[in-house]
Amino acid sequence: AERKLLPALYHRQMEGQFTEPTRIIGASRASLSHDEYRRFASDALKEHLKSGEFNEAEVEKFTSRLYYVSVDAKSEQGWDDLKKLLEEGKDRTRAFYLAVGPAIFSDISEKIRDHKLITRNTRIVVEKPIGRDLASATELNDTIGKVFREE
């Protein structure tokens, strides 16, 4: 998130690719407030953007979109908090971007399903690598496919 994802999302904003109101919700096991996550993001952008890309006003606008929830992929911790945060704007498109190891793709997919976070406008994106070989990639695809239909 720090080196790649946050700068990439910031660039999307700079290109005018976010519609209003767009929210970006960071989630991990770490315990952070929304403001602490926004400071983390701002610091990450200062460190990882190329020279001349950091615009204080745009960074402030970008970080105002950011929210954070502490969630554990393998337990029940935090999932109700995420659901509550998603209630506002429940008809908007939701994209779950899994920037995690493939070993927990299925756990997270199932938690998203079990906590009724899937709407007709929900999408899931998984980072590569997807498995170690064809067999493990197929298994992961099938596991995620049980929760999220291909179309």
Side-chain angles (χ1 to χ4, degrees):
E2 184 176 350
R3 287 186 322 106
K4 302 266 183 172
L5 190 54
L6 288 168
L9 290 168
Y10 173 78
H11 287 124
R12 298 296 60 82
Q13 175 174 292
M14 294 293 289
E15 295 294 323
Q17 295 178 348
F18 289 142
T19 58
E20 295 302 334
T22 291
R23 293 184 307 157
I24 300 166
I25 302 170
S28 75
R29 290 179 297 189
S31 180
L32 297 172
S33 69
H34 299 309
D35 287 335
E36 288 170 326
Y37 186 65
R38 290 172 183 142
R39 280 192 297 279
F40 162 80
S42 180
D43 291 345
L45 293 173
K46 280 179 189 167
E47 183 176 345
H48 298 289
L49 289 174
K50 293 178 184 170
S51 179
E53 290 182 333
F54 189 93
N55 175 301
E56 194 71 46
E58 283 296 325
V59 168
E60 189 172 317
K61 181 179 177 183
F62 176 73
T63 58
S64 73
R65 297 181 186 284
L66 300 180
Y67 295 83
Y68 182 83
V69 63
S70 177
V71 174
D72 187 332
K74 295 194 173 254
S75 78
E76 294 302 310
Q77 183 264 318
W79 289 97
D80 288 337
D81 295 332
L82 178 59
K83 184 174 184 169
K84 185 188 228 180
L85 194 55
L86 289 171
E87 279 301 307
E88 178 188 329
K90 60 186 169 190
D91 296 327
R92 297 182 202 153
T93 299
R94 295 178 181 176
F96 289 93
Y97 187 95
L98 306 186
V100 298
I104 60 173
F105 286 169
S106 61
D107 293 318
I108 294 172
S109 298
E110 290 166 356
K111 293 291 185 193
I112 291 169
R113 177 198 62 212
D114 294 347
H115 288 271
K116 299 179 178 24
L117 302 178
I118 300 172
T119 67
R120 65 181 194 86
N121 294 321
T122 297
R123 309 292 182 264
I124 188 166
V125 179
V126 295
E127 274 194 358
K128 294 185 215 173
I130 302 173
R132 300 171 307 285
D133 53 25
L134 179 59
S136 61
T138 301
E139 181 182 343
L140 281 170
N141 190 61
D142 291 346
T143 301
I144 294 169
K146 289 177 187 172
V147 177
F148 292 94
R149 296 184 348 210
E150 189 71 30
E151 67 276 0

